[in-house]
């Protein structure tokens, strides 16, 4: 997409957002997974000598950080690649500097052969040996000005590492190298303050590894003030393009690394500017030096919402333009955005062809499906494989395709003499995908007979086993397009149903700083998912029914469950969630605790059910028919889990325990005209902590089902499936799409399909039985 088109789209979205507000009245083994949580990977270039030192403190103000969030700083397996970006201004480019890579690696990595190759802006400048299993070391790599450019610079790291003693495929999952996000980055002797928007890209993260954005609003928090904040905040978040932003609200600037967005409206902002020494800030959006060297200040001076609109649009077309183009609108960063009938190659995701000589080759990328995509078994997404294998591979060699952490396809490499694949079609079931972002891994298992001997000193890394070409592609079929909710995966992946310029309400039940900060943090994360500002009208209080507008609710009121207490919408309570999780955990069949203390309309039924459960015969005492019925029921349940690519629920769902810190749930509005997405906690501080946990990249990308819970004790995510789904949107009413939707629905409800087939056969049999006897047999005599 051309630069002008991107800017025009973003500017139009911002105008619509504020205008809408005005119209609305204002692959790692279990043993290493814990080691990799909260890490990310960065890279650098090395033309001449490498200096190894202890990790330096994160407080080095000359260290420009990598922009990627903390969960991206790990390289795993025998051959892994990671990409990072950092921003420099003109004087910093001219001065050059050093790339600091502070890292630690697994003790199982063989230091004799482990290497890290480094590129900056596509130019190879060397590498270093990976040899730091006992503590963090910093590799300082000199980078001359000729390798750098003003704006965003791209660093690419490739780690090649082998196991010390184990040559099995499983051992490759024990290999990892992690970078310290606080001590890694580009060190420059040319200190540059925060003087323009591009300089904001170099802001450091706080001690919690989050990008802190503080909204400074004088006086009481009102819906009017928040609606004026929203366009400026969303444009700033999109410009930063960081998925670890935490938004807070106060009447004074924050402390430590971060950005203060000072709202100075004409009605009450003069005193705030004077107090902060910013009286000379121009009208519109501008960047000013903060109170400390590691904190920036963005000032918005405007008269009203229309003024805010104009200021944001001017910034988007002017000083924010290049940052938006090289950031959130940049292609080739590991994500393939696809639509029906399209073909995309791995090269478009930033993959570069490389030769592999180890036992397990891993290539991962993301496929972004449309928000209203119906995932079911009516077609396949095709992987067109362009690759080759070497002679001598074992008969067990194969290619595995994992989608969203589940193996969905395997293709054996049967030819021991080696084979070449020129567009080999590998069908991937659409049911394995979901709306929004999907993680895809191509795992080539490449064992040879020599691996059984396991003599690392005899390893021949010069003899490759596999090559995967960047012309490998995915082909997307015609898709069934219908918006089906609840679907938290679509919410996290594409901000559905709040994206696409559709007006909606963001309702915050309390006007305190913690609740408002949580609401703005959630709004910012959804804007990043949609890659565009959202047209939200912010209100304080409770949702209004009967408007037909979708609502995003942030609540810390204990009695909020009453808002949805109808037959069409019901927010799950602590008891409901605990019961749902307990059901998945196969609880004790005696459920006398469910019998209410007081009489209800269902008391008799509950008592009878409890009696039957407590007197049920053991499995050994059951008749053959009863046991067959139980076996059939269990087999049907297991088949359903397999059909939907679901594992053993008891292995992935933890008991709810003492309760949830925060609960995110999607439901139909009580009036049946819209969708409510409600995030609820028992106190403002819980809603703030819970939202900050939910929007962490590793948690956000795993949102799924109809309800998500963050456990209080472990802070782990528990996703509960949607009990019932409903159609929220059907824009394409063409016969072809309706046929695909029907086929998708029947694949989800195959029992009905089977019954219809049997019914048709029965009707045909009855017709034959009636018709044939009446016709009799004709004789020609």
């Amino acid at each position: 997409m051309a630069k002008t088109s991107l800017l025009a789209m973003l500017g139009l979205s911002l105008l619509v957002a504020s205008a809408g507000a005005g119209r609305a009245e204002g692959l790692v083994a279990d043993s290493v997974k814990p080691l990799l949580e909260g890490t990310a990977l960065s890279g650098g270039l090395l033309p001449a000598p490498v200096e190894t030192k202890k990790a330096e403190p994160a407080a080095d103000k000359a260290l420009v950080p990598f922009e990627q969030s903390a969960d991206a700083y790990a390289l795993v397996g025998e051959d892994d690649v990671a990409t990072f970006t950092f921003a420099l201004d003109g004087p910093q480019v001219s001065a050059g500097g050093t790339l600091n890579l502070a890292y630690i690696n697994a003790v199982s990595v063989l230091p004799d052969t482990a290497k890290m190759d480094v590129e900056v802006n596509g130019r190879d400048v060397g590498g270093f040996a990976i040899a730091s299993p006992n503590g963090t070391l910093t590799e300082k790599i000199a980078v001359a000005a000729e390798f750098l450019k003003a704006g965003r610079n791209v660093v690419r790291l490739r780690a090649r590492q082998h196991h010390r003693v184990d040559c099995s495929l499983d051992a490759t999952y024990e290999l990892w190298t992690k970078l310290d996000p606080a001590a890694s980055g580009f060190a420059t002797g040319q200190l540059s303050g925060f003087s323009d928007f591009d300089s904001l890209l170099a802001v450091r993260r706080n001690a919690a590894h989050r990008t802190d954005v503080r909204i400074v609003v004088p006086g009481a928090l009102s819906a009017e003030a928040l609606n004026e904040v929203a366009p400026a905040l969303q444009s700033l978040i999109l410009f930063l393009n960081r998925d670890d932003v935490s938004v807070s609200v106060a009447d004074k600037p924050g402390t430590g690394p971060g950005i203060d967005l000072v709202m100075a409206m004409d009605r009450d902002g003069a005193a705030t500017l004077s107090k902060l020494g910013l009286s000379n800030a121009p009208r519109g959006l501008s960047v000013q030096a903060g109170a400390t060297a590691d904190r920036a200040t963005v000032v918005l001076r405007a008269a009203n919402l229309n003024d805010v609109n104009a200021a944001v649009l001017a910034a988007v077309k002017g000083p924010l333009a290049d940052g938006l183009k090289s950031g959130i609108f940049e292609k080739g960063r590991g994500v393939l955005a696809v639509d029906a009938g399209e073909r995309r190659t791995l090269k478009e995701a930033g993959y570069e062809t490389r030769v592999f000589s180890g036992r397990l080759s891993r290539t991962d990328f993301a496929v972004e499906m449309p928000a209203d995509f119906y995932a079911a078994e009516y077609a396949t997404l095709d992987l067109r494989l362009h690759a080759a294998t070497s002679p001598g591979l074992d008969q067990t060699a194969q290619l595995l395709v994992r989608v969203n952490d589940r193996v969905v396809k395997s293709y054996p490499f049967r030819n021991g003499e080696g084979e070449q694949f020129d567009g080999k079609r590998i069908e991937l079931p659409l049911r394995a995908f979901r709306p929004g972002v999907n993680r895809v891994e191509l795992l080539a298992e490449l064992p040879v007979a020599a691996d059984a001997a396991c003599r690392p000193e005899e390893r021949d890394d010069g003899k490759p086993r596999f090559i995967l070409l960047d012309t490998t592609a995915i082909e997307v079929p015609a898709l069934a397009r219908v918006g089906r909710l609840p679907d938290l995966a679509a919410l996290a992946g594409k901000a559905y149903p709040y994206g696409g310029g559709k007006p909606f309400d963001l309702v915050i039940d309390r006007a305190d700083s913690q609740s408002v900060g949580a609401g703005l943090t959630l709004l910012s994360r959804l804007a990043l998912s949609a890659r565009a500002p959202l047209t939200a009208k912010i209100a304080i209080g409770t949702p209004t029914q009967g408007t037909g507008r979708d609502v995003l609710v942030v609540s810390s009121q204990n009695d909020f469950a009453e808002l949805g207490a109808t037959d069409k919408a019901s927010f799950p309570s602590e008891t409901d969630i605990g019961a749902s999780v307990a059901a998945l955990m196969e609880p004790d069949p005696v459920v006398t605790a469910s019998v209410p203390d007081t009489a209800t309309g269902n008391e008799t039924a509950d008592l009878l059910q409890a009696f039957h459960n407590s007197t049920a015969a053991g499995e050994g005492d059951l008749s053959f028919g009863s046991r067959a019925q139980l076996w059939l029921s269990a087999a049907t349940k297991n088949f359903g889990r397999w059909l939907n690519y679901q594992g053993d629920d008891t292995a992935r769902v933890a008991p709810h325990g003492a309760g949830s810190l925060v609960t995110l749930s999607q439901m139909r509005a009580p009036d049946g005209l819209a969708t409510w997405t409600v995030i609820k906690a028992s106190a403002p501080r819980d809603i703030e902590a819970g939202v900050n946990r939910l929007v962490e990249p590793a948690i956000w990308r795993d949102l799924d089902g109809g309800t998500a819970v963050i456990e209080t004790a472990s802070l782990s995510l528990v996703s509960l499936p949607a009990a019932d789904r409903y159609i929220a949107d059907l824009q394409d009413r063409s016969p072809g799409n309706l046929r695909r939707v029907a086929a998708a629905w029947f694949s989800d409800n195959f029992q009905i399909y089977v019954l219809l087939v049997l019914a048709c056969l029965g009707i045909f049999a009855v017709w034959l039985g009636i018709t044939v006897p009446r016709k009799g047999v004709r004789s020609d005599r």
Side-chain angles (χ1 to χ4, degrees), residues 40-55:
L41 174 66
S42 70
L45 279 178
L46 168 64
V50 178
E51 180 183 2
T52 302
K53 295 185 177 181
K54 291 183 179 180

Side-chain angles (χ1 to χ4, degrees), residues 445-666:
E445 296 183 349
L446 309 163
V448 297
D451 291 341
C454 197
R455 297 187 180 96
E457 68 279 2
E458 298 180 5
R459 179 186 291 114
D460 184 5
D461 293 334
K463 183 179 180 180
R465 303 185 187 185
F466 182 68
I467 182 172
L468 179 67
L469 303 181
D470 60 9
T471 52
T472 297
I474 60 170
E475 296 178 348
V476 184
L479 300 174
R481 306 294 291 269
V482 57
R484 298 166 65 241
L485 296 175
D487 192 344
L488 295 183
L491 176 77
K494 300 285 286 187
Y496 187 78
Y498 304 107
K502 182 180 180 181
F504 69 96
D505 297 330
L506 169 58
V507 179
I508 305 171
D509 68 346
R510 294 183 179 180
D512 61 81
S513 60
Q514 292 171 313
S515 297
V516 170
L520 294 178
T521 297
L522 192 58
L523 179 66
S524 301
R525 190 61 187 84
L526 289 172
L528 279 175
S529 297
R531 291 196 179 94
L534 305 180
T535 56
K537 171 206 165 186
I538 303 177
I540 306 294
T542 57
T544 302
Q545 300 183 28
T547 63
R549 290 167 61 98
D550 294 330
V551 183
L552 180 63
V553 182
V554 177
S555 174
S556 57
Q557 302 280 10
N558 291 327
D559 57 352
F560 179 75
E562 298 301 323
L563 287 176
T566 73
D567 57 343
K568 294 183 179 179
S570 180
F571 191 86
S573 65
E574 294 269 328
T575 303
D576 296 332
I577 296 170
S580 298
V581 178
L584 292 173
M585 294 294 293
E586 298 180 3
D588 191 305
V590 181
V591 291
T592 53
S594 65
V595 179
D597 296 329
T598 58
T600 66
N602 296 322
E603 180 179 293
T604 302
D606 291 337
L607 289 170
L608 286 173
Q609 184 62 45
F611 172 79
H612 289 311
N613 288 334
S614 62
T615 58
E619 185 174 350
D621 300 328
L622 294 177
S623 65
F624 175 80
S626 298
R627 279 182 288 185
Q629 186 177 2
L630 287 175
W631 178 88
L632 183 61
S633 176
T636 302
K637 186 180 298 184
N638 291 333
F639 178 72
R641 284 203 298 264
W642 171 83
L643 192 65
N644 290 281
Y645 297 95
Q646 296 174 356
D648 184 4
D649 291 322
T650 61
R652 67 179 179 87
V653 180
H656 193 61
S660 61
L661 177 67
V662 71
T663 303
L664 175 66
S665 190
Q666 206 167 59

Side-chain angles (χ1 to χ4, degrees), residues 88-149:
L88 300 176
D89 59 20
Q92 290 174 327
V93 170
S94 300
T98 61
L99 200 63
N100 287 8
L101 301 176
Y103 77 97
I104 185 173
N105 58 268
V107 70
S108 56
V109 173
L110 180 66
D112 299 346
T113 60
K115 291 182 61 179
M116 183 80 75
D117 299 326
V118 189
E119 293 180 359
V120 172
N121 294 323
R123 301 176 64 181
D124 182 7
V125 290
F128 58 86
I130 300 174
S132 182
N134 299 318
T136 302
L137 291 180
T138 298
E139 296 286 349
K140 291 188 174 183
I141 302 171
V143 182
E146 62 186 273
F147 294 101
L148 304 171
K149 63 182 180 180

Side-chain angles (χ1 to χ4, degrees), residues 25 36 42 107 115 133 135 156 192 212 254 356 363 414 541 575 673 687 772:
E25 304 175 6
L36 299 180
S42 70
V107 70
K115 291 182 61 179
R156 184 174 181 268
S192 179
D212 176 33
F356 183 74
T363 302
R414 293 193 176 93
T575 303
L673 302 176
I687 200 78
V772 171

Side-chain angles (χ1 to χ4, degrees), residues 38 175 185 188 206 230 252 286 311 384 479 586 604 629 727 764:
L175 304 173
T188 173
N206 59 21
K252 59 183 179 181
S286 63
R384 293 291 182 175
L479 300 174
E586 298 180 3
T604 302
Q629 186 177 2
I727 295 178
F764 181 67

